[in-house]
Amino acid sequence: MTENTRDIDEGVVTDFSTRMSYGSYLALDELLQLQRPISEPEHHDELLFIIQHQTSELWMKLLLHEARSARQCLIDDDLGGALKRIARIKHIQEALIQQWSVLATLTPTEYAEFRGFLANSSGFQSHQYRAIEFILGNKHAGMLAVFESDPAAHAVLDELLHEPSLYDEFLRHLSRHGIAIPASVLERDVTKAHVFTPELVPVFVEIYEGAHDADASNWRVYEACEELVDLEDNFQLWRFRHLRTVRRTIGFKRGTGGSAGVDFLQRALDLTFFPELYAVRTEIGQS
């Protein structure tokens, strides 16, 4: 009978006494010690809950890294570079969306057995999630109060609050390349959430309707518009999966952080980052 094994290649490194290993490069000793259930007695499913949220935070860290870089590319008028980063963000979003299916295996009864140990800790307090909203344009200065006791997180959000969003920089990029963006948009108060601006819709109508002309020079701009729509669609799908997972697990209980729970998450679905890129769809082909 043939053994169900394979030989180790002769050149495989096995002595790491003086070499960097996979574990040391990734700091696995520290990383794998960071899952610390607090339920007493320790509940089997709390580890799932912790890992779900920790891995989400890691993906969000990467998403922010890419979003900041995409914004800088737009500042530098490198639209291709920005599109490359946004493409990666979309894949990160897909990973985040799929994670909800793992947490959804946590039944209401199982969660109830350790939920009380969470006290007031809540995903509502994720500064990285708020940072993503801010850099995409959904600014809310009042959210900074949640992070008064965390100076580092507060500083990150305060900085993003006062900086132009990804969408702001996209519109500025368009303006520098001869597209007539209204001055009111270019000069707006960037500490406020972007709101629907009717004057922008005809601008995008022209971009969309001219994208397929034989000599179309704005194809990349048209492509960028669609990439941003993909990004928002993914974000909304993430919000929806969050809502459905919470409803499946705790019903209509209040959130541990004091929010209205499902109702609060439901209202978030009405928030939008790039409203004109959706409004343009109604206008295309009307003339």
Side-chain angles (χ1 to χ4, degrees), residues 63-112:
L63 196 160
L64 277 168
H65 174 71
E66 299 295 340
R68 285 190 173 97
S69 182
R71 185 180 60 179
Q72 186 59 50
C73 285
L74 291 172
I75 293 170
D76 296 338
D77 288 326
D78 178 10
L79 185 57
L83 291 176
K84 168 64 177 175
R85 272 82 171 164
I86 292 171
R88 181 173 291 166
I89 288 171
K90 287 161 55 179
H91 286 289
I92 296 168
Q93 289 178 307
E94 289 172 6
L96 282 164
I97 291 165
Q98 290 303 316
Q99 284 191 190
W100 288 119
S101 64
V102 183
L103 191 61
T105 65
L106 182 67
T107 68
T109 305
E110 291 165 345
Y111 185 38

Side-chain angles (χ1 to χ4, degrees), residues 120-136:
N120 294 125
S121 61
S122 166
F124 181 84
Q125 299 142 19
S126 168
H127 86 274
Q128 291 199 120
Y129 173 80
R130 295 298 165 205
I132 292 168
E133 287 200 319
F134 279 20
I135 201 168
L136 294 182

Side-chain angles (χ1 to χ4, degrees), residues 4-130:
N4 190 25
T5 60
R6 60 177 176 174
D7 293 333
I8 298 176
D9 291 349
E10 187 175 337
V12 169
V13 177
T14 58
D15 181 4
F16 294 98
S17 57
T18 59
R19 296 182 175 94
M20 181 172 65
S21 69
Y22 172 82
S24 59
Y25 172 67
L26 296 177
L28 290 183
D29 283 348
E30 295 95 329
L31 180 64
L32 298 179
Q33 292 299 314
L34 296 178
Q35 295 73 51
R36 301 165 185 159
I38 60 173
S39 54
E40 296 181 6
E42 182 179 321
H43 192 278
H44 171 82
D45 295 303
E46 191 181 356
L47 185 62
L48 159 63
F49 192 80
I50 293 171
I51 289 177
Q52 165 85 22
H53 290 83
Q54 286 184 340
T55 53
S56 293
E57 291 292 334
L58 287 172
W59 282 124
M60 286 191 281
K61 180 176 182 178
L62 181 58
L63 196 160
L64 277 168
H65 174 71
E66 299 295 340
R68 285 190 173 97
S69 182
R71 185 180 60 179
Q72 186 59 50
C73 285
L74 291 172
I75 293 170
D76 296 338
D77 288 326
D78 178 10
L79 185 57
L83 291 176
K84 168 64 177 175
R85 272 82 171 164
I86 292 171
R88 181 173 291 166
I89 288 171
K90 287 161 55 179
H91 286 289
I92 296 168
Q93 289 178 307
E94 289 172 6
L96 282 164
I97 291 165
Q98 290 303 316
Q99 284 191 190
W100 288 119
S101 64
V102 183
L103 191 61
T105 65
L106 182 67
T107 68
T109 305
E110 291 165 345
Y111 185 38
E113 292 182 15
F114 66 86
R115 185 176 187 244
F117 290 94
L118 304 181
N120 294 125
S121 61
S122 166
F124 181 84
Q125 299 142 19
S126 168
H127 86 274
Q128 291 199 120
Y129 173 80
R130 295 298 165 205

